[in-house]
Amino acid sequence: MVVDLNRIVAALDELFALNASAPDTAMSRHLPRVFDEVGTDWRAFVEPLFAQRFNGLMRRGHPTVRTVYGACFPSAEVIDAWLAVARRGDLLVTHHPIDVRNGSPEDDTWAEGFVPIDATQLKAIAERELSMYACHAPMDTSLRVGTAAAIVEALNGTVVNQFWPYGDGHAGLVADIPTISSTALVDRAREIFAVDTVEVAGAIHDALTRVAVVGGIGDHVDQMALAERMGAQAYLTGELHVRIEGDYGRRKFADVNAFSATTGMTLIGVSHAASEHLVIETQLARWIAENHRITLRPIREPRWWR
């Protein structure tokens, strides 16, 4: 199956309402910074419209799309895996336009945060006429194809409230779910996100029915507290503790530790990458199949915690 690139891009833009969205607050800050720090002319690589809103078609390749791939981050490992199989006209859809290294609880590794795509990989993508599309905040807030919405769906939940104002919506959802214990919910998270390591803190319940979910970085204790006031008995996110080197990261780490000592919620972290990759393999893959008759091929990170 071959699809016109403009057609699929226009449909994605409409799905995420990009033409009505403001420029992405986070990516408009971090993407230029990390590329400028390594001396890469990112504007020469991206589409002019992407350089204004930092969402949408990032790189235009051949006008016909043969295969659609999907991933959370365009990490070095994901790009290498894509380049190993990509043919002219292939499209990679990612949640983030750049990588993020948040560290790992597995060995208490602390990391550098946002990371640019390597210049040699950018050159290979351009020379092989490949395309890239990224959608950050609008995918976080979407109730149809969204990072939090996909988690609620996987838990067989029903959305009852929203929290964490972000972009043009809310990144966090509070949902009622079938009764489950904290221990069983942690086990279920391992299955849903295909992770071996899950961070767990806070209280433990024999039976809980309401959970707050937010993809990616969930370490804002004010939003944790808001979710608890909304009745959440558990809080499921990507990163409970962001292990990014520096005073800010250390302070946020301490804030979450203090909150976990007093909260009545079970706090669960499954890694930034895994929490936001779920939507790629589920809701986005389903949307692409239904609307374009193409099977999305997901590319998972070799290490979720990194």
Short mmCIF file of all heavy atoms in Angstrom, two decimals, residues 80-110:
data_model
loop_
_atom_site.label_atom_id
_atom_site.label_comp_id
_atom_site.label_asym_id
_atom_site.label_seq_id
_atom_site.Cartn_x
_atom_site.Cartn_y
_atom_site.Cartn_z
N ASP A 80 18.62 4.40 14.36
CA ASP A 80 19.45 3.35 13.77
C ASP A 80 18.59 2.16 13.34
O ASP A 80 18.80 1.60 12.25
CB ASP A 80 20.52 2.88 14.76
CG ASP A 80 21.72 3.82 14.81
OD1 ASP A 80 21.86 4.66 13.90
OD2 ASP A 80 22.51 3.71 15.76
N ALA A 81 17.64 1.78 14.18
CA ALA A 81 16.76 0.65 13.84
C ALA A 81 15.91 0.98 12.63
O ALA A 81 15.65 0.12 11.77
CB ALA A 81 15.88 0.30 15.04
N TRP A 82 15.44 2.22 12.55
CA TRP A 82 14.64 2.65 11.40
C TRP A 82 15.48 2.67 10.12
O TRP A 82 15.06 2.13 9.08
CB TRP A 82 14.07 4.04 11.69
CG TRP A 82 13.20 4.62 10.62
CD1 TRP A 82 12.23 3.97 9.91
CD2 TRP A 82 13.19 5.97 10.15
NE1 TRP A 82 11.62 4.83 9.04
CE2 TRP A 82 12.19 6.07 9.17
CE3 TRP A 82 13.92 7.10 10.50
CZ2 TRP A 82 11.91 7.26 8.51
CZ3 TRP A 82 13.64 8.30 9.86
CH2 TRP A 82 12.65 8.38 8.86
N LEU A 83 16.67 3.26 10.20
CA LEU A 83 17.53 3.33 9.02
C LEU A 83 17.94 1.95 8.51
O LEU A 83 18.23 1.77 7.32
CB LEU A 83 18.77 4.16 9.32
CG LEU A 83 18.55 5.66 9.55
CD1 LEU A 83 19.83 6.34 9.98
CD2 LEU A 83 17.99 6.33 8.29
N ALA A 84 17.97 0.97 9.40
CA ALA A 84 18.35 -0.38 9.01
C ALA A 84 17.32 -1.04 8.10
O ALA A 84 17.65 -1.97 7.34
CB ALA A 84 18.57 -1.24 10.25
N VAL A 85 16.07 -0.56 8.15
CA VAL A 85 15.00 -1.20 7.36
C VAL A 85 14.30 -0.22 6.42
O VAL A 85 13.53 -0.64 5.55
CB VAL A 85 13.96 -1.85 8.27
CG1 VAL A 85 14.59 -3.01 9.06
CG2 VAL A 85 13.34 -0.84 9.24
N ALA A 86 14.53 1.07 6.57
CA ALA A 86 13.78 2.08 5.84
C ALA A 86 14.09 2.08 4.35
O ALA A 86 15.23 1.86 3.93
CB ALA A 86 14.06 3.47 6.42
N ARG A 87 13.03 2.33 3.57
CA ARG A 87 13.16 2.52 2.14
C ARG A 87 12.67 3.92 1.78
O ARG A 87 11.94 4.55 2.54
CB ARG A 87 12.33 1.49 1.38
CG ARG A 87 12.72 0.03 1.64
CD ARG A 87 11.78 -0.91 0.91
NE ARG A 87 10.40 -0.76 1.41
CZ ARG A 87 9.34 -1.29 0.79
NH1 ARG A 87 9.48 -1.96 -0.33
NH2 ARG A 87 8.12 -1.12 1.31
N ARG A 88 13.05 4.41 0.63
CA ARG A 88 12.63 5.73 0.20
C ARG A 88 11.12 5.87 0.31
O ARG A 88 10.37 4.98 -0.13
CB ARG A 88 13.06 5.99 -1.25
CG ARG A 88 12.80 7.44 -1.70
CD ARG A 88 13.27 7.70 -3.11
NE ARG A 88 12.42 7.05 -4.11
CZ ARG A 88 12.34 7.43 -5.38
NH1 ARG A 88 13.08 8.43 -5.83
NH2 ARG A 88 11.55 6.79 -6.22
N GLY A 89 10.69 6.96 0.93
CA GLY A 89 9.26 7.19 1.09
C GLY A 89 8.71 6.73 2.43
O GLY A 89 7.53 6.94 2.71
N ASP A 90 9.54 6.14 3.28
CA ASP A 90 9.06 5.71 4.60
C ASP A 90 8.90 6.92 5.52
O ASP A 90 9.62 7.92 5.41
CB ASP A 90 10.01 4.70 5.22
CG ASP A 90 9.86 3.32 4.59
OD1 ASP A 90 8.95 3.14 3.76
OD2 ASP A 90 10.65 2.42 4.93
N LEU A 91 7.95 6.79 6.45
CA LEU A 91 7.62 7.87 7.38
C LEU A 91 7.78 7.37 8.81
O LEU A 91 7.29 6.29 9.16
CB LEU A 91 6.18 8.33 7.15
CG LEU A 91 5.55 9.26 8.19
CD1 LEU A 91 6.24 10.62 8.19
CD2 LEU A 91 4.04 9.41 7.93
N LEU A 92 8.46 8.15 9.64
CA LEU A 92 8.57 7.86 11.07
C LEU A 92 7.75 8.90 11.83
O LEU A 92 8.01 10.10 11.73
CB LEU A 92 10.02 7.91 11.53
CG LEU A 92 10.26 7.73 13.04
CD1 LEU A 92 9.83 6.32 13.48
CD2 LEU A 92 11.71 7.98 13.40
N VAL A 93 6.76 8.43 12.59
CA VAL A 93 5.94 9.29 13.43
C VAL A 93 6.39 9.11 14.87
O VAL A 93 6.41 7.99 15.39
CB VAL A 93 4.44 8.96 13.31
CG1 VAL A 93 3.62 9.87 14.22
CG2 VAL A 93 3.97 9.08 11.86
N THR A 94 6.77 10.20 15.53
CA THR A 94 7.21 10.14 16.92
C THR A 94 6.40 11.12 17.77
O THR A 94 5.82 12.08 17.26
CB THR A 94 8.70 10.48 17.06
OG1 THR A 94 8.94 11.80 16.56
CG2 THR A 94 9.57 9.47 16.33
N HIS A 95 6.40 10.86 19.07
CA HIS A 95 5.76 11.78 20.00
C HIS A 95 6.66 13.00 20.23
O HIS A 95 6.20 14.13 20.16
CB HIS A 95 5.47 11.06 21.31
CG HIS A 95 4.91 11.94 22.39
ND1 HIS A 95 3.88 12.83 22.15
CD2 HIS A 95 5.22 12.06 23.70
CE1 HIS A 95 3.59 13.47 23.27
NE2 HIS A 95 4.40 13.03 24.22
N HIS A 96 7.92 12.77 20.48
CA HIS A 96 8.90 13.85 20.67
C HIS A 96 9.70 14.05 19.39
O HIS A 96 10.02 13.07 18.70
CB HIS A 96 9.89 13.50 21.78
CG HIS A 96 9.36 13.71 23.17
ND1 HIS A 96 9.87 14.67 24.01
CD2 HIS A 96 8.39 13.09 23.86
CE1 HIS A 96 9.23 14.63 25.17
NE2 HIS A 96 8.32 13.68 25.10
N PRO A 97 10.10 15.28 19.07
CA PRO A 97 10.97 15.51 17.92
C PRO A 97 12.46 15.32 18.26
O PRO A 97 13.29 15.30 17.36
CB PRO A 97 10.69 16.96 17.54
CG PRO A 97 10.33 17.61 18.84
CD PRO A 97 9.60 16.56 19.64
N ILE A 98 12.78 15.23 19.55
CA ILE A 98 14.15 14.97 20.00
C ILE A 98 14.09 13.98 21.16
O ILE A 98 13.03 13.77 21.77
CB ILE A 98 14.88 16.25 20.46
CG1 ILE A 98 14.03 17.04 21.47
CG2 ILE A 98 15.25 17.11 19.25
CD1 ILE A 98 14.71 18.28 22.03
N ASP A 99 15.21 13.38 21.47
CA ASP A 99 15.28 12.39 22.53
C ASP A 99 15.33 13.06 23.90
O ASP A 99 15.69 14.23 24.02
CB ASP A 99 16.54 11.52 22.32
CG ASP A 99 16.53 10.27 23.19
OD1 ASP A 99 15.48 9.93 23.75
OD2 ASP A 99 17.60 9.64 23.30
N VAL A 100 14.96 12.29 24.93
CA VAL A 100 15.07 12.74 26.32
C VAL A 100 15.67 11.61 27.15
O VAL A 100 15.16 10.49 27.13
CB VAL A 100 13.71 13.14 26.93
CG1 VAL A 100 13.92 13.71 28.34
CG2 VAL A 100 13.00 14.15 26.06
N ARG A 101 16.73 11.91 27.85
CA ARG A 101 17.36 10.95 28.76
C ARG A 101 17.05 11.36 30.19
O ARG A 101 17.47 12.43 30.63
CB ARG A 101 18.87 10.91 28.53
CG ARG A 101 19.27 10.57 27.09
CD ARG A 101 19.25 9.09 26.84
NE ARG A 101 19.56 8.76 25.45
CZ ARG A 101 19.89 7.55 25.03
NH1 ARG A 101 19.98 6.56 25.89
NH2 ARG A 101 20.13 7.34 23.75
N ASN A 102 16.28 10.52 30.90
CA ASN A 102 15.82 10.87 32.24
C ASN A 102 16.51 10.09 33.35
O ASN A 102 16.16 10.26 34.52
CB ASN A 102 14.31 10.63 32.35
CG ASN A 102 13.51 11.58 31.48
OD1 ASN A 102 12.71 11.15 30.67
ND2 ASN A 102 13.72 12.87 31.65
N GLY A 103 17.47 9.22 33.02
CA GLY A 103 18.10 8.41 34.05
C GLY A 103 17.31 7.16 34.35
O GLY A 103 16.26 6.90 33.76
N SER A 104 17.80 6.37 35.28
CA SER A 104 17.18 5.06 35.55
C SER A 104 17.24 4.69 37.02
O SER A 104 18.28 4.84 37.66
CB SER A 104 17.89 3.98 34.73
OG SER A 104 17.46 2.69 35.12
N PRO A 105 16.12 4.17 37.56
CA PRO A 105 16.13 3.68 38.93
C PRO A 105 16.79 2.31 39.05
O PRO A 105 17.09 1.85 40.16
CB PRO A 105 14.64 3.58 39.28
CG PRO A 105 13.99 3.30 37.96
CD PRO A 105 14.79 4.07 36.95
N GLU A 106 17.02 1.65 37.91
CA GLU A 106 17.59 0.32 37.95
C GLU A 106 19.01 0.33 38.52
O GLU A 106 19.41 -0.60 39.22
CB GLU A 106 17.58 -0.29 36.53
CG GLU A 106 16.17 -0.51 36.00
CD GLU A 106 16.15 -0.96 34.56
OE1 GLU A 106 17.04 -0.55 33.78
OE2 GLU A 106 15.24 -1.71 34.19
N ASP A 107 19.78 1.36 38.22
CA ASP A 107 21.13 1.48 38.76
C ASP A 107 21.38 2.89 39.28
O ASP A 107 22.53 3.30 39.47
CB ASP A 107 22.18 1.11 37.71
CG ASP A 107 22.02 1.89 36.42
OD1 ASP A 107 21.16 2.80 36.37
OD2 ASP A 107 22.75 1.61 35.45
N ASP A 108 20.29 3.63 39.52
CA ASP A 108 20.35 5.01 40.01
C ASP A 108 21.22 5.89 39.11
O ASP A 108 22.00 6.73 39.57
CB ASP A 108 20.85 5.06 41.46
CG ASP A 108 20.51 6.39 42.13
OD1 ASP A 108 19.52 7.02 41.72
OD2 ASP A 108 21.24 6.81 43.04
N THR A 109 21.06 5.71 37.81
CA THR A 109 21.78 6.53 36.83
C THR A 109 21.08 7.88 36.66
O THR A 109 19.86 7.94 36.57
CB THR A 109 21.83 5.81 35.46
OG1 THR A 109 22.48 4.57 35.61
CG2 THR A 109 22.54 6.66 34.43
N TRP A 110 21.87 8.95 36.63
CA TRP A 110 21.35 10.28 36.34
C TRP A 110 21.80 10.67 34.93
O TRP A 110 22.90 10.30 34.50
CB TRP A 110 21.81 11.28 37.39
CG TRP A 110 21.11 11.08 38.70
CD1 TRP A 110 21.17 9.98 39.50
CD2 TRP A 110 20.19 11.97 39.33
NE1 TRP A 110 20.37 10.13 40.60
CE2 TRP A 110 19.76 11.35 40.54
CE3 TRP A 110 19.71 13.24 39.02
CZ2 TRP A 110 18.85 11.95 41.41
CZ3 TRP A 110 18.82 13.86 39.90
CH2 TRP A 110 18.39 13.20 41.07
#
